[in-house]
Amino acid sequence: MSLIAQQSNAIAENINKVSGVIASENVDTQHYQKCAKILKDTFGYAEFRAGQMEVIDKILNGQDALILLPTGGGKSLCYQVPALALEGITIVVSPLISLMQDQVQQLTAQGVKAAYLNSSQDAEESQQITEQLFRGELDLLYVAPERLLKSYFLNSLQRVKVSLIAVDEAHCVSHWGHDFRQDYRQLGRLKSQFQNVPFIALTATADHATQVDIQHQLQLENPFVFKGGFDRPNIRYNLLAKYKGFDQVVAFVKQQDGAAGIVYCNSRAKVDDLTQRLQSAGIKCDAYHAGRDTATREFVQTQFLKDDLQVVIATVAFGMGINKSNVRFVVHHDVPRSVESYYQETGRAGRDGMPAEALLLFDERDAARIKQWISTGTAPDRYDIEMHKFEAMEAFAEAQTCRRQVLLNYFSDYREEQCGNCDICLDPPKLFEGTTQAQQALSCVYRLKQDTSVQYVIDVLRGKSIRRILDNKHNELSTYGIGKDQSDNYWHNIIQQLIHQGLLRIDMTLSGILRINESARAVLKAERIVHLAVPKLSVDTSKRNKAEPVNIDRQLFAKLKHLRKQVAEEENVPAFVIFSDATLADMTDKMPTDKNQFIGVTGVGQTKLERYGEAFITLIEDYLGSR
């Protein structure tokens, strides 16, 4: 057995031993008391989430760690709390400028001495922060891997006491993870220069092979591995068959009552088109993609962070660096190429734990197109991996069982019970004997000589008097108008189901025309019964999300949001930096009228109590007095 294979087996054994469970060892009492005080006084939380204190205890004892927790699962506190408990500086390797800025902004609002160094700063600002570093005035310093690995910077760090090195988005170091930046792959060099410094690697998505590779690439020594569940129970997963996708997105966004959201498209042209449509519909939104200059992209992102834009329509380049906690929905206009991408992108909603929605529009033509891209544009050694990843995404979209179970099972986070908070659980598919509808659609495709698009088949079925149909005399076919009692969307959904059942296929080599499979012969000859699901034509957002707080006073919540917005504008920071939506919801439940009560609100630490307590307490007192 090779040395690498031996290392892999040892690491895998370590993962299997610790993954998904809370360590049984007792946490050091002094460590707990010290860190619990930091947690409450600085971050405003009364208790740690499962696994956090075990991780922190290991770090304080000098042990390396690998942390796998979902977005919003509390990864950052696993290094931020020890950074304040340890003497010296914690170096945080972070991939994106915007992500550094957001996190430092939130930390400074909580009274933490934090800063970042990146290319957005001029020489004078960088020098000021470097001097703060040398004077020991910082607890955390966020840097990009490119700067950290520079010889001059590594040499300068020898002048200070480095207490901890945290590698965020650690899947980027892996050969098996997401393609990203080469400098991430070089971070293993740091271990030899900081031999007695604990390293913590953090990521939200990493399959087994990636977990093994992260530890190997970073040269982690006997790391404590904590793998929390991947579930984001506050996110409600919805799927609709895509038909006139732009119109479907507009309708869904209008249902969101002004809440913040992100809409992903797979091309710049679609982003621009949808942005124009949403703006015409009165939605405050803007576009974000690589075709726009840097200044424009930064402006759009800033406006979104400050709640001056309701929606950003973007390519997948947007969002990785977004630390905005009050995103309430994510829409995928186009199907992602992997479950990992879908999970990461939907995870940008509901980071504060409050209810959030995810909507995926799925079309077999999109799926066929992506398979064609993978077949023609993927290196031979990556083809099987990329096709496997997309087929798993396709299976998620076509599932007729609890979507959360399908999603979590992909990450080996198996759940026996259905979630009760996805479209399948809330509105289970209602099957009907659809042989007649199947025969009508299949016959129409056949009589059109298997040489037309899905939409043209629908136009014939519904008996539309359009020029192309009349010119081709397709209005004389026996199938013309036999489906006129149903909508376009209905027939599109039926055809999608026939594709799922293998009766039809889309031929991308001939511009996506519909073809009949051999299995359809038995249906056309009435030798096989077809069962179909009653088509779902819209998402019902009126049903209560399981994560919605029961005791929320919506009138007070709206007033608190308005005050938060005013304070944020005065301080020129995003509103969620002042208080999260979850904190405002807790205020409506506890209705604190003095500082002793206010400090008991989740997310309120000493610094925020001193800065904002009086204004929010006064508002609550006035509200109670007016009732």
Side-chain angles (χ1 to χ4, degrees):
M1 182 183 291
S2 70
L3 177 60
I4 291 178
Q6 291 174 358
Q7 290 174 331
S8 177
N9 287 344
I11 291 169
E13 183 180 347
N14 188 33
I15 290 173
N16 292 332
K17 215 169 19 178
V18 182
S19 172
V21 298
I22 299 175
S24 60
E25 295 90 349
N26 292 325
V27 171
D28 183 279
T29 302
Q30 289 185 328
H31 286 170
Y32 176 78
Q33 291 174 344
K34 184 176 185 178
C35 293
K37 189 175 189 310
I38 291 171
L39 183 72
K40 180 53 191 168
D41 290 350
T42 302
F43 300 100
Y45 300 116
E47 57 187 24
F48 287 102
R49 295 183 185 180
Q52 285 180 326
M53 190 59 222
E54 285 74 19
V55 172
I56 292 167
D57 187 57
K58 298 295 184 184
I59 292 170
L60 296 182
N61 286 328
Q63 186 175 350
D64 293 342
L66 170 62
I67 311 305
L68 295 100
L69 282 170
T71 302
K75 290 191 299 294
S76 298
L77 285 176
C78 290
Y79 65 82
Q80 290 171 350
V81 171
L84 301 181
L86 292 166
E87 291 184 12
I89 183 78
T90 290
I91 302 296
V92 184
V93 184
S94 187
L96 297 175
I97 290 173
S98 57
L99 185 58
M100 294 183 202
Q101 292 171 336
D102 288 352
Q103 290 183 320
V104 168
Q105 204 168 42
Q106 286 186 289
L107 285 168
T108 53
Q110 291 161 328
V112 177
K113 294 178 288 185
Y116 58 81
L117 283 171
N118 60 44
S119 59
S120 71
Q121 298 158 318
D122 57 32
E124 182 179 355
E125 188 177 0
S126 294
Q127 182 60 34
Q128 289 175 349
I129 293 168
T130 303
E131 290 174 1
Q132 284 182 289
L133 171 66
F134 292 151
R135 291 195 299 264
E137 296 174 357
L138 296 175
D139 293 313
L140 293 102
L141 180 65
Y142 288 73
V143 295
E146 291 83 358
R147 181 184 291 260
L148 179 58
L149 292 171
K150 297 289 186 185
S151 297
Y152 77 87
F153 191 76
L154 288 174
N155 291 335
S156 70
L157 288 179
Q158 302 302 317
R159 297 171 52 184
V160 301
K161 179 177 175 55
V162 177
S163 58
L164 173 64
I165 294 179
V167 180
D168 204 3
E169 306 294 344
H171 54 267
C172 299
V173 311
S174 173
H175 293 293
W176 299 102
H178 307 284
D179 295 330
F180 200 53
R181 299 209 298 245
Q182 287 301 313
D183 289 273
Y184 253 87
R185 301 272 178 85
Q186 305 301 317
L187 290 173
R189 291 165 39 196
L190 296 173
K191 201 63 175 161
S192 61
Q193 294 191 249
F194 300 94
Q195 294 183 8
N196 297 316
V197 175
F199 278 59
I200 178 172
L202 308 104
T203 181
T205 51
D207 58 21
H208 184 81
T210 304
Q211 295 169 40
V212 171
D213 200 33
I214 288 170
Q215 296 177 63
H216 176 66
Q217 296 293 334
L218 289 178
Q219 301 179 33
L220 303 183
E221 298 174 4
N222 187 32
F224 176 76
V225 180
F226 182 79
K227 180 181 175 183
F230 283 87
D231 192 14
R232 296 286 305 283
N234 61 314
I235 298 177
R236 180 157 57 194
Y237 298 103
N238 302 289
L239 183 140
L240 287 176
K242 185 198 289 186
Y243 180 73
K244 297 185 177 179
F246 291 140
D247 294 339
Q248 288 172 297
V249 173
V250 171
F252 181 79
V253 171
K254 282 187 171 183
Q255 292 177 349
Q256 299 306 310
D257 195 28
I262 303 171
V263 180
Y264 287 110
C265 302
N266 66 5
S267 72
R268 300 175 190 178
K270 287 182 182 178
V271 168
D272 291 337
D273 190 0
L274 183 53
T275 300
Q276 187 175 19
R277 289 178 186 233
L278 283 172
Q279 288 174 342
S280 298
I283 305 296
K284 294 177 67 175
C285 65
D286 210 336
Y288 187 107
H289 57 66
R292 309 192 81 182
D293 61 74
T294 301
T296 301
R297 293 200 305 271
E298 288 180 354
F299 176 76
V300 170
Q301 182 164 307
T302 299
Q303 292 291 98
F304 183 58
L305 288 173
K306 292 185 175 181
D307 293 338
D308 292 327
L309 285 178
Q310 180 194 351
V311 183
V312 169
I313 302 93
T315 55
V316 294
F318 180 78
M320 186 174 181
I322 293 299
N323 206 34
K324 183 178 170 71
S325 66
N326 61 335
V327 175
R328 299 267 67 91
F329 67 90
V330 169
V331 178
H332 282 89
H333 179 273
D334 305 298
V335 61
R337 288 180 61 153
S338 71
V339 176
E340 288 91 345
S341 295
Y342 175 77
Y343 178 81
Q344 285 235 356
E345 288 152 16
T346 55
R348 284 153 196 163
R351 293 172 63 103
D352 53 12
M354 295 285 282
E357 300 274 344
L359 171 63
L360 169 62
L361 300 181
F362 183 71
D363 185 351
E364 283 291 345
R365 289 175 297 179
D366 289 346
R369 196 173 296 114
I370 289 175
K371 287 181 177 178
Q372 187 178 46
W373 290 343
I374 294 172
S375 297
T376 58
T378 305
D381 61 333
R382 293 287 299 174
Y383 173 80
D384 288 342
I385 295 173
E386 294 299 320
M387 190 61 77
H388 169 74
K389 286 179 177 290
F390 181 68
E391 286 174 348
M393 185 65 229
E394 193 175 26
F396 169 82
E398 295 174 353
Q400 294 296 302
T401 57
C402 172
R403 295 202 192 279
R404 197 177 310 273
Q405 283 182 316
V406 177
L407 183 65
L408 296 178
N409 288 350
Y410 178 83
F411 293 110
S412 301
D413 187 2
Y414 301 107
R415 304 296 171 96
E416 293 184 5
E417 295 183 359
Q418 296 186 347
C419 74
N421 199 29
C422 71
D423 59 335
I424 298 293
C425 290
L426 291 168
D427 186 13
K430 298 176 180 64
L431 297 181
F432 71 101
E433 206 268 84
T435 307
T436 299
Q437 288 84 347
Q439 289 174 332
Q440 290 173 336
L442 292 169
S443 295
C444 193
V445 174
Y446 177 78
R447 296 181 190 285
L448 289 170
K449 303 184 188 299
Q450 304 182 65
D451 192 33
T452 60
S453 68
V454 173
Q455 185 58 54
Y456 192 80
V457 172
I458 292 170
D459 291 342
V460 173
L461 282 169
R462 296 203 60 222
K464 295 183 181 179
S465 299
I466 59 179
R467 179 173 295 279
R468 185 181 169 197
I469 289 176
L470 299 178
D471 288 347
N472 291 324
K473 297 186 177 181
H474 288 155
N475 57 315
E476 299 175 6
L477 296 176
S478 60
T479 53
Y480 179 77
I482 59 174
K484 62 184 177 182
D485 56 333
Q486 298 290 355
S487 67
D488 280 26
N489 201 350
Y490 175 91
W491 280 112
H492 182 268
N493 191 291
I494 294 296
I495 290 171
Q496 294 293 306
Q497 292 188 58
L498 297 179
I499 294 171
H500 294 169
Q501 294 191 24
L503 301 173
L504 289 170
R505 74 180 188 277
I506 292 174
D507 191 340
M508 291 306 297
T509 64
L510 293 171
S511 303
I513 64 173
L514 275 177
R515 297 281 203 180
I516 296 176
N517 288 333
E518 180 62 29
S519 56
R521 184 186 300 272
V523 177
L524 288 168
K525 295 173 70 174
E527 296 173 353
R528 172 182 166 186
I529 295 174
V530 178
H531 290 96
L532 299 171
V534 175
K536 292 181 183 177
L537 307 181
S538 63
V539 173
D540 183 2
T541 60
S542 64
K543 293 183 179 179
R544 182 178 175 273
N545 189 306
K546 288 176 66 176
E548 185 176 345
V550 176
N551 297 323
I552 190 168
D553 182 321
R554 296 197 172 279
Q555 186 177 357
L556 176 57
F557 186 77
K559 290 179 178 294
L560 291 169
K561 282 185 70 174
H562 180 69
L563 174 58
R564 180 182 64 176
K565 175 72 170 168
Q566 288 180 319
V567 174
E569 289 176 348
E570 290 172 5
E571 298 195 2
N572 195 30
V573 297
F576 64 87
V577 168
I578 306 300
F579 289 123
S580 70
D581 282 3
T583 297
L584 298 187
D586 200 35
M587 285 184 203
T588 72
D589 181 28
K590 294 175 178 171
M591 295 197 180
T593 55
D594 60 46
K595 288 190 174 183
N596 287 332
Q597 293 174 353
F598 197 77
I599 195 68
V601 173
T602 185
V604 177
Q606 289 293 338
T607 299
K608 290 195 174 184
L609 172 66
E610 294 168 8
R611 289 182 180 176
Y612 315 123
E614 186 176 345
F616 283 83
I617 289 170
T618 299
L619 186 151
I620 293 168
E621 287 178 329
D622 291 345
Y623 176 76
L624 291 173
S626 65
R627 291 200 305 181

